[in-house]
Amino acid sequence: MKKILSVMTLVAALAVAGTSQAMAQTVQGKPIRAEQLANDNWLLHVSPQETAKYLLLPVEDKAPEAHLKLIVDNQLCRNIDVRMALHKIDYYVPVVLDEFRGHNLVVQAHMNIDRSNRGGVGSEICWANIRLSDTFDQTNRERFRPLYHHTPVYGWMNDPNGMFYKDGTWHLFYQYNPYGSMWGNMNWRHSTSRDLLTWNDEGVAIAPDAHGAIFSGSCVVDEKNTAGFGAGAVIALYTSAGDVQSQSLAYSTDGGRTFTPYAGNPILTADVPDFRDPNMFWNDDINAWNLILAVGQEMRIYSSPNLKDWKEESRFGLGYGNHDGVWECPDLFPLPVDKLTSKQVDKLNGKQLVNSSTNNSSTITKWVLVCNINPGGPFGGSATQYFVGDFDGHKFTCDSAPQVTKWMDWGKDHYATVSFWGAPKDRRTVLAWMSNWQYANDAPTMQYRSANSIARDLGLFQDGGEWYVSVKPSPEMLAARGKKVKSPTEACEMVVDLKGSATITLANAKGEKVVMTYDDDARTFSMDRTQSGNVAFSEAFPCTTVAPTHGRLKQLRIFIDRCSIEAFDADGHVAMTNLVFPSEPYNSVKVKGGKATIWEMKSGK
Ligand code: FRU
């Protein structure tokens, strides 16, 4: 068998928009015949004796999704949606056959094709090109794949999920499609890192079941065995997205590597359609767990002694902040306010600060409620808003007037931001998904789609009687600095010391450029990507994003990684994250009104 597989090699003809230098995917294996049935259905039989590791399915990104049923020994085992290639093969995706070995596997496919302007049934290129193979080529074929940001090895990624830190390892799960580079078939895939820069792929951790796809959620480490799955079990809570959205639990007794869905799922239901993205945490103040959930236009807050039985405590949000889209992916956490004098406390318009339960009087905390919203962002589409206030384990009270809206990042590509559970030394470390639902599925990459932001650490600062969240690159980013260089490279950090207003222009020889402007009088910082390279893949892509700076800026830190630019000021008052797709890397910078120092970044790959 091995021999037959290895002699039959073909190369998938890749027509990748905007990636003319893309390598081809090598596809090995032997063809397997699909049989045409009536009514646009196809059937394929993989025998119990088959030893190949993968069934490789040919995909065309812009084709409609075909619906595939994986039937094992006459039982429906899995439903998957795959954009089976009609005219051209963009790439292949693997169905891993290990778990079906020794069983009859029947794949029954239904095409969803409007036949009015298509060839007759059977004209699709996919059916003659399905293969059985021992290998699946996941070599990177994208020149836009970032070097020091987290990306999936192949396939589609959106929200970061279930992030936690334990014993020196950062765990990141994420919304993942194993069967294509567009959104669909939501699984949680898992990556781990010891430095927030180098990520190891740990494979799929939670796959869809009869309750539905696995939407976003969170993980905690249940040190006290409150849920009964063992002390130190990792508990995941996620949204099961089937005909309705409900919340389900899964547990891991091997540190987050594999999960078992709880037999009593779903554990939380409601009579509303948008009911998702559970985020749970231990709260010493009530000696119990809290949970925050996005429900349409508001957040619901729950408590539980055991992570399974949840009692609704309160709701927050109606009339507060921005409501131009659906509220999603919440988070709720305390942040310490450092070294506040009593005078400063008085200055906060008499607003009461809550002392934490520790006796240390200098440790005062405010609570931050994170609410990702889509659409409704300041420049269209997705963005992360937040509220600062107090939380007693039962009710969140916002400090600001209802009409006040605060954004965590003022770029267009910063969404689904949530924090790591259990980060060391009381750090509040977050990751965002670096894209925007307005065009995420059309971004000009194909072998993989989407990256996470660099890790950021949050704090608090005050301006005009209001508390704001400060956003700074996590300290780990300093370790990524390599040698100093004179000009920008495709993966670098640029530190610009400012003397007042400044203009920073990044450019390449093709005349493509990104212009960043700090206006010291208006106290704004902006980034113009209208001429940054390929901006044509979506009307919503070309834009200039503008942020208030909350005071004078002294220094900017600008992180460039092939297709992203993340700008921060030294005090964490401004964060701005934007994607760019230049036809060649920006290799020159002109700074008017400041001085730039540039470090090449070490690749995390
Ligand atoms: C946010 C989101 C979540 C949902 C997930 C599905 O980007 O819409 O609300 O759980 O994506 O992939």
Side-chain angles (χ1 to χ4, degrees):
M1 165 62 74
K2 269 258 155 60
K3 215 166 167 199
I4 306 175
L5 292 180
S6 60
V7 286
M8 303 197 63
T9 301
L10 77 150
V11 165
L14 297 167
V16 183
T19 56
S20 51
Q21 297 153 25
M23 290 158 58
Q25 182 182 25
T26 303
V27 185
Q28 298 197 321
K30 63 173 183 188
I32 176 168
R33 203 172 66 85
E35 186 190 338
Q36 186 183 329
L37 310 176
N39 306 328
D40 254 352
N41 287 293
W42 292 79
L43 187 138
L44 190 135
H45 195 141
V46 182
S47 89
Q49 286 78 40
E50 182 55 61
T51 59
K53 215 171 151 29
Y54 303 107
L55 183 68
L56 298 182
L57 303 174
V59 174
E60 180 181 341
D61 239 16
K62 294 287 178 250
E65 287 177 317
H67 185 65
L68 274 60
K69 287 182 187 156
L70 306 193
I71 299 167
V72 181
D73 296 344
N74 306 321
Q75 298 301 320
L76 177 62
C77 164
R78 197 172 306 155
N79 286 299
I80 59 176
D81 294 321
V82 185
R83 295 176 186 275
M84 297 295 288
L86 303 181
H87 303 111
K88 64 181 171 83
I89 301 171
D90 288 329
Y91 54 89
Y92 279 78
V93 292
V95 174
V96 183
L97 294 178
D98 291 349
E99 60 180 304
F100 308 126
R101 192 149 305 132
H103 299 272
N104 277 283
L105 168 66
V106 167
V107 181
Q108 198 186 314
H110 177 73
M111 301 294 277
N112 286 306
I113 300 182
D114 172 6
R115 291 273 169 213
S116 54
N117 58 2
R118 291 252 180 259
V121 178
S123 61
E124 303 85 37
I125 192 174
C126 52
W127 303 116
N129 284 285
I130 299 174
R131 309 186 84 79
L132 287 162
S133 176
D134 279 343
T135 59
F136 170 63
D137 180 9
Q138 48 182 59
T139 317
N140 177 48
R141 305 188 296 280
E142 298 289 356
R143 67 188 176 84
F144 284 126
R145 184 187 283 274
L147 290 173
Y148 61 92
H149 286 74
H150 173 261
T151 50
V153 280
Y154 67 93
W156 163 272
M157 173 175 86
N158 56 294
D159 314 355
N161 294 150
M163 298 193 292
F164 72 96
Y165 174 89
K166 189 163 194 285
D167 303 333
T169 300
W170 301 87
H171 293 259
L172 158 65
F173 300 84
Y174 53 92
Q175 289 285 280
Y176 179 63
N177 185 1
Y179 305 114
S181 299
M182 297 179 79
W183 186 87
N185 304 302
M186 283 296 109
N187 286 243
W188 278 24
R189 198 169 175 124
H190 183 202
S191 293
T192 53
S193 175
R194 293 187 73 84
D195 59 6
L196 289 172
L197 287 163
T198 320
W199 291 94
N200 299 315
D201 175 40
E202 308 285 353
V204 166
I206 310 180
D209 60 20
H211 294 298
I214 313 299
F215 275 17
S216 291
S218 57
C219 278
V220 294
V221 182
D222 186 15
E223 299 291 4
K224 296 184 200 153
N225 192 21
T226 62
F229 300 113
V234 179
I235 310 294
L237 204 55
Y238 54 86
T239 300
S240 288
D243 292 339
V244 293
Q245 298 185 346
S246 55
Q247 317 314 319
S248 292
L249 185 149
Y251 59 94
S252 168
T253 51
D254 58 8
R257 235 175 47 75
T258 57
F259 281 85
T260 308
Y262 171 53
N265 283 337
I267 57 158
L268 194 54
T269 52
D271 59 356
V272 284
D274 289 313
F275 178 61
R276 58 179 182 266
D277 310 339
N279 203 330
M280 59 189 162
F281 55 94
W282 178 257
N283 193 336
D284 272 337
D285 293 344
I286 54 167
N287 200 30
W289 299 97
N290 274 132
L291 166 66
I292 180 163
L293 255 174
V295 188
Q297 289 291 309
E298 61 181 341
M299 299 300 179
R300 289 191 190 170
I301 294 170
Y302 300 78
S303 65
S304 170
N306 59 13
L307 296 166
K308 293 181 200 146
D309 304 304
W310 292 96
K311 170 179 164 237
E312 186 178 330
E313 294 279 352
S314 60
R315 299 179 181 188
F316 170 77
L318 288 188
Y320 277 83
N322 186 298
H323 283 274
D324 294 341
V326 179
W327 282 26
E328 302 183 319
C329 301
D331 203 348
L332 181 57
F333 47 79
L335 281 179
V337 176
D338 285 332
K339 297 182 202 94
L340 261 199
T341 62
S342 52
K343 246 187 172 170
Q344 281 173 309
V345 175
D346 292 345
K347 233 180 101 184
L348 286 169
N349 300 338
K351 284 171 191 160
Q352 190 63 37
L353 290 168
V354 175
N355 272 301
S356 78
S357 52
T358 69
N359 288 331
N360 179 354
S361 58
S362 69
T363 314
I364 300 170
T365 52
K366 296 300 295 177
W367 283 77
V368 175
L369 189 154
V370 174
C371 164
N372 290 279
I373 180 165
N374 177 61
F379 307 102
S382 331
T384 306
Q385 70 173 327
Y386 66 88
F387 303 89
V388 182
D390 300 318
F391 179 60
D392 60 3
H394 306 284
K395 190 173 178 338
F396 176 80
T397 316
C398 183
D399 276 358
S400 308
Q403 66 275 16
V404 174
T405 300
K406 296 174 181 173
W407 300 107
M408 194 177 283
D409 185 291
W410 289 82
K412 249 196 113 148
D413 299 296
H414 176 275
Y415 194 55
T417 317
V418 283
S419 65
F420 284 89
W421 154 269
K425 299 194 192 104
D426 289 335
R427 287 171 61 182
R428 190 52 62 173
T429 306
V430 298
L431 285 180
W433 172 51
M434 234 179 354
S435 200
N436 188 314
W437 281 117
Q438 283 183 326
Y439 43 72
N441 278 291
D442 302 311
T445 65
M446 207 174 255
Q447 189 242 350
Y448 82 97
R449 218 174 248 124
S450 297
N452 289 106
S453 67
I454 58 168
R456 298 141 186 235
D457 277 31
L458 306 183
L460 284 171
F461 70 96
Q462 190 204 329
D463 184 28
E466 286 278 349
W467 286 108
Y468 293 90
V469 167
S470 66
V471 183
K472 291 184 184 170
S474 294
E476 284 80 357
M477 296 312 298
L478 288 174
R481 284 182 181 170
K483 64 173 193 297
K484 272 193 193 166
V485 286
K486 292 228 150 50
S487 310
T489 64
E490 58 178 355
C492 64
E493 182 194 341
M494 215 160 63
V495 172
V496 182
D497 291 307
L498 301 165
K499 294 191 212 91
S501 291
T503 308
I504 302 153
T505 309
L506 274 172
N508 64 18
K510 293 267 160 64
E512 296 163 350
K513 60 181 182 182
V514 175
V515 184
M516 286 168 263
T517 309
Y518 167 51
D519 184 331
D520 197 39
D521 300 324
R523 300 278 158 88
T524 57
F525 174 76
S526 67
M527 198 186 298
D528 175 351
R529 68 171 179 195
T530 53
Q531 297 172 69
S532 55
N534 181 356
V535 297
F537 60 90
S538 162
E539 272 181 11
F541 189 78
C543 65
T544 300
T545 56
V546 190
T549 59
H550 297 290
R552 282 228 138 98
L553 299 191
K554 300 183 285 264
Q555 189 187 65
L556 289 165
R557 289 181 70 184
I558 301 167
F559 293 83
I560 301 168
D561 196 358
R562 288 190 166 167
C563 66
S564 60
I565 302 183
E566 291 159 278
F568 306 85
D569 80 291
D571 297 319
H573 292 187
V574 179
M576 188 177 284
T577 304
N578 283 316
L579 293 176
V580 287
F581 296 97
S583 53
E584 58 185 56
Y586 308 119
N587 58 359
S588 80
V589 63
K590 279 206 186 95
V591 181
K592 251 205 274 168
K595 189 175 169 316
T597 312
I598 309 172
W599 283 267
E600 207 169 59
M601 294 295 262
K602 294 177 201 156
S603 169
K605 301 277 175 318

